[in-house]
Amino acid sequence: MSTAAAAGTWKLGDLEVNRVGYGAMRLTGNGMMGNSDGTPIDRDVAVRLLHSAFEQGVNHIDTAAFYFSPLRSANELINRALLSWPDGVVVVTKVGPGRDPSGEWFTMARPDQLRGQVEENLRQLGRDHLDVVNLRRNGLDMASIAEHFGALAELREAGLIRHLGLSNVHPEHVAEAQAIAPVVCVQNSYSVDWRRADESGMVGLCREQGIAFVSYFAVSGLRREAAAAQERHTRVHTVARAHGTTPAQVRLAWTLHRGPHMLAIPGTTNPVHLAENIAAGALRLTEEELALLDEPGETDA
């Protein structure tokens, strides 16, 4: 059985992780855009799934305090799983957006509110400090991140946070943040179908600066956290058939092939899909296959 180590490792600051991680959002039964909402799995089943991920070499978990549904909290489930697991799992959370207890979204947190969000993550995860905290930029209404990132840098100096990262940002935001404190990762949407991070130069910028680029929605294509219902073209299927793998595995392998600094955090509640996602780290695509996947083609509407 392949383990997450097959894809190689990268460092988030001084924390070395396998490049195939796990995104915890789906454990709650709640999707950020509403197109993956469903009944959450049983708590004990969720903990066993997380333990299975750890057993298969996953040591990088992505979460957030705002990953919750009426019945489940991703942070609570991770806390439970880690209580009976040895040290060595790096938990990466994010702050900026927020939701009230009923699930309604707040506007972007003010810089002075970020400490409360960090402390909320600490309480839910049962930790004295957070391994990595990403500042999640809230779209077009946030041109500058300096004040927010500066507030997190102060919490890092105070010992509440070990390392800082960014999410949903552009290259100019990385430069802005790097002038304040080191950035260890950038977490943006990126996939075979969704390559804005190539167009903006973000993937190359992270490579040059030794920053991990953490791809989310790497499997789902243009429909975000919903499963890809229709492929952009037949090329992904062609490559999958050649290797006897699934299209999702090809998508993950393509992402990892974009550079040694590329990480992926696919999420699932299905143990079979979990094993497949992890095994994708061992899938080696040929230059011809990569060229085929990179050819221009029609995208889904």
Side-chain angles (χ1 to χ4, degrees):
M1 180 177 68
S2 296
T3 71
T9 65
W10 192 261
K11 282 191 173 183
L12 305 178
D14 63 343
L15 302 172
E16 188 168 7
V17 297
N18 292 323
R19 293 204 294 142
V20 177
Y22 179 81
M25 181 178 69
R26 289 194 181 185
L27 287 178
T28 70
N30 178 258
M32 293 299 99
M33 297 295 289
N35 56 5
S36 65
D37 287 356
T39 303
I41 60 176
D42 180 82
R43 281 186 171 85
D44 291 338
V45 173
V47 169
R48 287 198 296 272
L49 185 78
L50 287 167
H51 283 169
S52 177
F54 303 157
E55 289 165 358
Q56 295 176 71
V58 171
N59 58 3
H60 169 203
I61 302 292
D62 172 75
T63 186
F66 53 79
Y67 286 175
F68 69 87
S69 66
L71 297 177
R72 297 289 183 271
S73 156
N75 279 354
E76 177 240 336
L77 294 171
I78 293 168
N79 187 345
R80 286 192 180 203
L82 291 176
L83 282 175
S84 55
W85 194 262
D87 292 339
V89 177
V90 175
V91 179
V92 180
T93 190
K94 59 187 73 66
V95 295
R99 299 163 73 196
D100 68 23
S102 69
E104 291 298 318
W105 286 96
F106 295 130
T107 56
M108 181 72 179
R110 300 188 310 269
D112 63 307
Q113 295 174 318
L114 293 179
R115 184 183 184 105
Q117 291 192 344
V118 166
E119 290 174 344
E120 182 180 15
N121 278 279
L122 289 169
R123 285 190 297 271
Q124 292 177 0
L125 291 166
R127 296 195 160 194
D128 296 323
H129 74 276
L130 300 173
D131 295 328
V132 182
V133 173
N134 289 328
L135 174 65
R136 169 78 179 182
R137 175 176 164 268
N138 191 22
L140 298 176
D141 61 345
M142 191 176 177
S144 171
I145 63 166
E147 194 173 356
H148 286 77
F149 197 78
L152 291 181
E154 291 178 3
L155 298 178
R156 174 176 172 266
E157 290 296 320
L160 276 67
I161 302 170
R162 191 163 181 175
H163 298 295
L164 297 175
L166 298 169
S167 180
N168 193 33
V169 293
H170 300 305
E172 59 268 26
H173 301 119
V174 176
E176 197 174 24
Q178 288 276 62
I180 298 169
V183 174
V184 302
C185 57
V186 168
Q187 188 186 99
N188 276 13
S189 179
Y190 186 69
S191 70
V192 171
D193 292 340
W194 189 264
R195 306 190 190 183
R196 289 188 177 177
D198 282 331
E199 297 165 6
S200 70
M202 181 67 84
V203 169
L205 173 68
C206 288
R207 182 189 299 111
E208 292 166 5
Q209 298 193 16
I211 298 171
F213 184 103
V214 184
S215 169
Y216 61 85
F217 297 149
V219 172
S220 303
L222 295 176
R223 297 185 64 224
R224 296 173 68 88
E225 67 261 28
Q230 180 180 353
E231 297 297 337
R232 181 174 75 146
H233 43 53
T234 62
R235 297 175 192 139
V236 171
H237 285 282
T238 298
V239 175
R241 285 194 297 269
H243 287 272
T245 60
T246 68
Q249 288 176 301
V250 170
R251 288 173 174 273
L252 285 169
W254 177 88
T255 300
L256 296 170
H257 276 69
R258 303 301 281 180
H261 66 305
M262 300 295 291
L263 283 63
I265 46 171
T268 182
T269 59
N270 185 315
V272 173
H273 292 167
L274 173 67
E276 289 174 348
N277 290 343
I278 292 169
L283 179 57
R284 302 293 183 259
L285 304 179
T286 67
E287 292 298 324
E288 291 77 13
E289 288 167 339
L290 291 170
L292 179 67
L293 294 172
D294 285 340
E295 286 180 14
E298 294 184 3
T299 58
D300 295 336

